[in-house]
């Protein structure tokens, strides 16, 4: 999948400042802080993981240590309770930026389900968009 330079700049800006991200996402033609407008080109759990998550958590989801510490998502027992990753994705935690204002409920559910069903994780219960809405 190819990313537009504006989308890459927006993701970087998002990690630094939501205001800067809003300025970078403007070319999409809508208010970038409206839920789900931030990354409309990313649909499906694998696409969202590849486009947003693997830069820090790595393509194998084993995490990384370098300029910062990025936790492994592979074989992560913390993912057993589905609400935990939903809350982390939407509200952020430590160095993880909150992505709830940039992903809609379906996108959050898709990426959480993808992570919980891959990388050695075998959690079968699926998160639904309604579950995400309840945690927001």
């Amino acid at each position: 999948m190819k990313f537009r330079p504006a989308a890459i700049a927006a993701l970087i800006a998002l990690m630094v400042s939501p205001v800067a991200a809003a300025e970078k996402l403007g070319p999409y033609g809508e208010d970038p802080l409206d839920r789900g407008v931030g990354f409309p080109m990313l649909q499906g759990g694998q696409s969202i993981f590849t486009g947003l998550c693997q830069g820090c958590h790595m393509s194998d989801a084993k995490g990384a240590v370098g300029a910062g510490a990025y936790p492994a998502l592979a074989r992560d027992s913390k993912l057993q309770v589905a609400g935990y990753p939903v809350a982390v994705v939407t509200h952020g935690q430590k160095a993880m930026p909150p992505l709830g204002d940039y992903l809609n409920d379906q996108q959050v559910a898709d990426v959480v389900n993808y992570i919980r069903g891959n990388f050695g994780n075998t959690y079968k219960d699926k998160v639904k968009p309604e579950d995400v809405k309840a945690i927001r």
Side-chain angles (χ1 to χ4, degrees):
M1 167 178 268
K2 287 188 172 186
F3 285 97
R4 293 169 39 184
I8 294 168
L11 180 59
I12 293 167
L14 170 63
M15 293 179 186
V16 177
S17 163
V19 174
E23 293 169 1
K24 297 296 181 191
L25 286 172
Y28 288 110
E30 298 178 22
D31 180 353
L33 297 180
D34 282 348
R35 188 167 289 137
V37 174
F39 299 100
M41 74 297 269
L42 298 177
Q43 297 297 318
Q46 183 175 5
S47 175
I48 296 165
F49 179 83
T50 301
L52 295 178
C53 309
Q54 83 173 9
C56 296
H57 295 284
M58 302 292 110
S59 60
D60 59 4
K62 291 185 179 175
V65 176
Y70 304 96
L73 301 172
R75 301 185 191 280
D76 187 351
S77 62
K78 291 181 182 177
L79 301 177
Q80 182 176 1
V81 176
Y84 174 76
V86 170
V88 172
V89 170
T90 56
H91 302 293
Q93 178 177 307
K94 299 181 184 173
M96 164 84 181
L99 297 174
D101 286 341
Y102 301 94
L103 298 174
N104 63 36
D105 294 344
Q106 183 67 57
Q107 288 173 305
V108 173
D110 287 348
V111 74
V112 167
N113 288 330
Y114 177 73
I115 292 165
R116 293 181 77 237
N118 290 281
F119 311 112
N121 300 312
T122 57
Y123 305 112
K124 304 278 187 223
D125 57 316
K126 299 291 184 189
V127 173
K128 297 183 220 85
E130 302 81 43
D131 302 326
V132 176
K133 185 175 184 173
I135 291 176
R136 286 187 188 272

